[in-house]
Amino acid sequence: MPRVLIAGCGYLGQAVAGLLVADGWEVEGWTQSAESAAKISGKSYSVRAVDISQEKQVLAQTGDFDAVIHCASTRGNVDLYRRVYFDGARNLLYRFSTSRILFTSSTSVYGQNDGDWVFEESLAKPKHETGKILRKAEVFVRAGGANVVRLGGIYGPGRSALLKNVLHGDAIIDPSHDRFLNQIHRDDAATAIQLLLKQPRPAGEIYNVVDNQPILLSECYRWLATKLDRRVPVAGRSIARSASKRKRGDSDKRVSNAKLRAIGWTPRYPNFAEGMEKSVLLTFDHEGA
Ligand SMILES: NC(=O)c1ccc[n+]([C@@H]2O[C@H](COP(=O)([O-])OP(=O)(O)OC[C@H]3O[C@@H](n4cnc5c(N)ncnc54)[C@H](OP(=O)(O)O)[C@@H]3O)[C@@H](O)[C@H]2O)c1
């Protein structure tokens, strides 16, 4: 039985774990905290708390894996970000140097802001410090033979930041600072990773993992507002200033998934509306959101 380590067994990691178990992999998941590991114990795979940012802890792990997926995420400060993404990737690469490694990055590494299409070979020069750390980690892991997936904003059952914004009254449509969003349903991100593990082992490949249809933020909010019968205010003079401050420096690009589709991946939810309608809105806890 092939063995896979999912280092960062969270929202996406657990979905990937489920698919890989069904495919006949023996899966081990790692979380940062013992609490998270305990919460997801009892699944058809083992879960342990191992902090990938701690070199000694990672190097001390026994057992080997055919594949290792860095799927850890943090919402902490830049320093924490560096530890989880860069140090974490480096530690995994050192410890599991003979494994096939897949690093989950983000489309935030594309700093383009002209709304044009970007592809895997396009310039990836992020504006924000967190994006720069991701980019540095990408370069490092690719040099060691790892593949990289650049994920768009993940949404799915129980998780949609945009839906929350609308429900909480935090959404604003600001026509002067509109931009494209590149998103991916959690289950489609998981099938992309599943497919990539079945591919022959080309080293250092990058794949964008987004749905077929980038959508303008304004369009997205209008669609949600109509569906939920809510009002999303349009920026006028009173809120334009804070909105423009918030958006300054944001990127604006349409990320292509053509490379991934060319190897046989088809998203079950090709656009945000289908994903929301067929999956998320049916199950979302509107009160608890
Ligand atoms: N969410 C998005 O919209 C999005 C967009 C682009 C890219 N991505 C990428 O997709 C991947 C998965 O994201 P996600 O949304 O599934 O994340 P998530 O739900 O926040 O889960 C993150 C997981 O990583 C674990 N973790 C954090 N720090 C760790 C550490 N130092 N050592 C070991 N495990 C650690 C967490 O454990 P604890 O629960 O114990 O903290 C949790 O199990 C990440 O690489 C993320 O950067 C996500």
Side-chain angles (χ1 to χ4, degrees):
M1 212 185 224
R3 300 189 75 226
V4 59
L5 167 65
I6 301 181
C9 205
Y11 188 65
L12 174 60
Q14 289 172 47
V16 174
L19 290 179
L20 296 183
V21 166
D23 272 355
W25 290 78
E26 183 185 332
V27 175
E28 178 164 315
W30 288 358
T31 60
Q32 199 255 326
S33 64
E35 292 75 24
S36 292
K39 262 191 214 152
I40 50 174
S41 64
K43 301 238 182 209
S44 47
Y45 51 90
S46 60
V47 185
R48 295 194 297 128
V50 179
D51 186 344
I52 59 168
S53 70
Q54 302 298 318
E55 185 176 359
K56 279 189 186 150
Q57 235 185 83
V58 176
L59 295 184
Q61 296 304 310
T62 54
D64 279 310
F65 297 94
D66 299 279
V68 173
I69 304 170
H70 179 306
C71 205
S73 176
T74 179
R75 281 159 199 82
N77 58 26
V78 169
D79 187 47
L80 192 57
Y81 214 82
R82 186 175 293 107
R83 282 190 267 143
V84 170
Y85 287 99
F86 187 80
D87 298 352
R90 184 200 54 205
N91 296 338
L92 290 172
L93 210 71
Y94 283 167
R95 171 61 188 82
F96 303 109
S97 55
T98 58
S99 307
R100 174 189 194 125
I101 299 211
L102 199 128
F103 177 73
T104 58
S105 182
S106 160
T107 54
S108 67
V109 298
Y110 297 115
Q112 285 82 338
N113 60 8
D114 57 2
D116 212 348
W117 285 95
V118 294
F119 304 86
E120 286 80 354
E121 61 277 15
S122 302
L123 180 71
K125 203 171 170 205
K127 293 195 175 102
H128 299 288
E129 205 47 47
T130 48
K132 287 178 188 162
I133 293 167
L134 271 184
R135 188 72 189 107
K136 212 175 133 196
E138 283 188 354
V139 171
F140 183 85
V141 298
R142 289 181 71 209
N147 284 348
V148 167
V149 291
R150 291 179 176 158
L151 294 149
I154 301 172
Y155 71 96
R159 188 188 281 193
S160 167
L162 297 160
L163 175 59
K164 271 192 182 177
N165 287 349
V166 172
L167 291 173
H168 292 174
D170 293 334
I172 299 167
I173 291 172
D174 183 355
S176 60
H177 292 89
D178 213 354
R179 67 194 164 96
F180 282 103
L181 303 174
N182 299 279
Q183 301 184 83
I184 185 72
H185 189 286
R186 177 201 61 188
D187 297 348
D188 286 328
T191 60
I193 291 174
Q194 177 191 32
L195 177 71
L196 289 172
L197 289 188
K198 288 180 184 160
Q199 297 299 302
R201 199 172 161 169
E205 285 290 319
I206 298 174
Y207 290 92
N208 294 330
V209 181
V210 291
D211 68 20
N212 293 348
Q213 216 176 308
I215 180 172
L216 282 170
L217 178 62
S218 59
E219 243 180 83
C220 200
Y221 278 155
R222 284 199 179 95
W223 186 89
L224 284 167
T226 307
K227 277 282 151 199
L228 300 165
D229 201 18
R230 301 277 172 134
R231 204 182 79 80
V232 175
V234 175
R237 270 168 196 258
S238 57
I239 49 179
R241 223 171 135 224
S242 61
S244 70
K245 196 173 162 204
R246 186 165 40 82
K247 301 272 173 57
R248 197 179 301 139
D250 275 352
S251 63
D252 180 19
K253 72 264 171 173
R254 282 172 287 171
V255 179
S256 167
N257 63 12
K259 183 174 174 184
L260 190 58
R261 281 192 289 127
I263 61 164
W265 176 79
T266 308
R268 179 168 172 198
Y269 304 107
N271 57 55
F272 181 73
E274 281 202 48
M276 289 305 283
E277 200 123 54
K278 294 184 179 162
S279 165
V280 184
L281 291 178
L282 296 174
T283 56
F284 208 83
D285 173 4
H286 290 209
E287 301 311 316

